[in-house]
Amino acid sequence: MHAPDVLDSLAFYRALGFTEVDTSDIWDHKYAVVTDGDISIGLHEHGLDAPNLTFVQPDLAGHARNMSDSGYDFSRMRIDEDVFNEIAFSDRDGHTVRMVEARTSLRAAEPPEDSLCGRWLELSLPVRDAMHAAIFWAPLAPAILSHREEPTPHMRFDAGGLALALSESIALKRPSLCFKCADREPIERAIEQHGIRHEKFPGYEGAFVMLRAPEGTELYVFDEDFLGESIEVIEGTDEVS
């Protein structure tokens, strides 16, 4: 995430119970990383125009060649023996995806506990056409964790261990973090104590609250998962553009 004031954003996530982890010296700008044990959130002072979905991919050079052969177009490719390898591309709805060859933060010394938001649910991406978008993502994330066609199409994939969802909901404006929380009281106390910007019952999939981080990230919190738990595999496509 682009976080113009890294310390302000860091305070927000720490108030919600996220754990800060040590970072490496890969980037020359100020940045911090927080985690709840399931997802890591990078807060970068500059260098990002929009949220980047970032994945660690060993042997990135070989992986990039395979992706190129399958029709992926890269907006950034930085691969050499003496540089930090990374590639970037956009999906059909303009969401930026980055792959790096190694982590830029260290793992927490002890497994972090859940944040006050509860258990990780999914990263929701707003899309114009979920099925059309799924064709793009199928080679990268062939396992569908759950999906729904009515009343609003919503598809959830396993993207390398990350639950990634494609939603046509008009209430979803930007890539957003989603959690399920069995106990509302701790998060309600945090909102009151720290003056967290929020919106009750924001209209996205029955969330009881949406929290807005200083850098603009939206976190939706639900009482329970709003999708079923079926798993299936869809066929990939040889061409992606």
Side-chain angles (χ1 to χ4, degrees):
M1 306 293 184
H2 174 219
D5 189 329
V6 173
L7 294 181
D8 196 21
S9 292
L10 184 58
F12 167 87
Y13 289 102
R14 293 182 66 175
L16 289 174
F18 286 84
T19 300
E20 183 181 6
V21 295
D22 292 334
T23 58
S24 62
D25 58 356
I26 293 296
W27 311 121
D28 57 8
H29 59 264
K30 183 187 298 183
Y31 75 104
V33 177
V34 297
T35 183
D36 66 348
D38 290 317
I39 186 172
S40 295
I41 304 169
L43 305 167
H44 293 256
E45 186 176 50
H46 58 77
L48 301 177
D49 295 327
N52 284 197
L53 287 68
T54 305
F55 300 88
V56 176
Q57 177 63 57
D59 186 23
L60 187 58
H63 194 70
R65 285 194 296 269
N66 292 336
M67 291 180 64
S68 182
D69 291 342
S70 296
Y72 285 85
D73 294 323
F74 302 118
S75 58
R76 178 175 175 80
M77 178 179 286
R78 189 168 181 259
I79 295 179
D80 208 336
E81 293 184 357
D82 58 351
V83 300
F84 182 68
N85 290 345
E86 60 174 322
I87 60 175
F89 54 97
S90 297
D91 72 1
R92 289 174 170 175
D93 291 274
H95 304 300
T96 301
V97 183
R98 290 174 66 243
M99 291 184 176
V100 297
E101 193 149 30
R103 296 174 60 89
T104 60
S105 62
L106 304 180
R107 297 186 184 278
E110 298 181 0
E113 297 181 358
D114 292 342
S115 72
L116 300 185
C117 296
R119 296 302 306 273
W120 169 250
L121 184 58
E122 67 176 39
L123 172 61
S124 295
L125 300 182
V127 298
R128 295 181 295 271
D129 184 318
M131 185 56 68
H132 188 66
I135 295 173
F136 176 94
W137 281 98
L140 302 175
I144 297 182
L145 300 176
S146 344
H147 76 284
R148 182 194 64 210
E149 295 182 5
E150 297 291 342
T152 305
H154 195 111
M155 305 178 72
R156 184 183 298 159
F157 295 81
D158 178 0
L162 172 72
L164 175 70
L166 310 174
S167 174
E168 293 184 29
S169 172
I170 61 174
L172 189 67
K173 304 301 183 184
R174 56 185 58 83
S176 300
L177 311 179
C178 297
F179 303 83
K180 56 181 178 179
C181 182
D183 184 0
R184 297 186 183 188
E185 289 189 8
I187 198 168
E188 290 172 348
R189 286 197 299 269
I191 289 173
E192 182 176 355
Q193 291 174 2
H194 300 282
I196 293 173
R197 289 187 298 165
H198 67 285
E199 181 181 343
K200 293 184 177 180
F201 304 105
Y204 178 55
E205 297 291 1
F208 68 81
V209 70
M210 182 270 285
L211 311 174
R212 182 171 287 109
E215 76 281 357
T217 306
E218 295 181 349
L219 293 76
Y220 288 90
V221 188
F222 304 81
D223 290 307
E224 58 186 14
D225 191 350
F226 51 87
L227 292 180
E229 296 185 356
S230 61
I231 297 179
E232 60 183 290
V233 176
I234 62 174
E235 295 296 329
T237 176
D238 292 333
E239 295 187 4
V240 179
S241 59

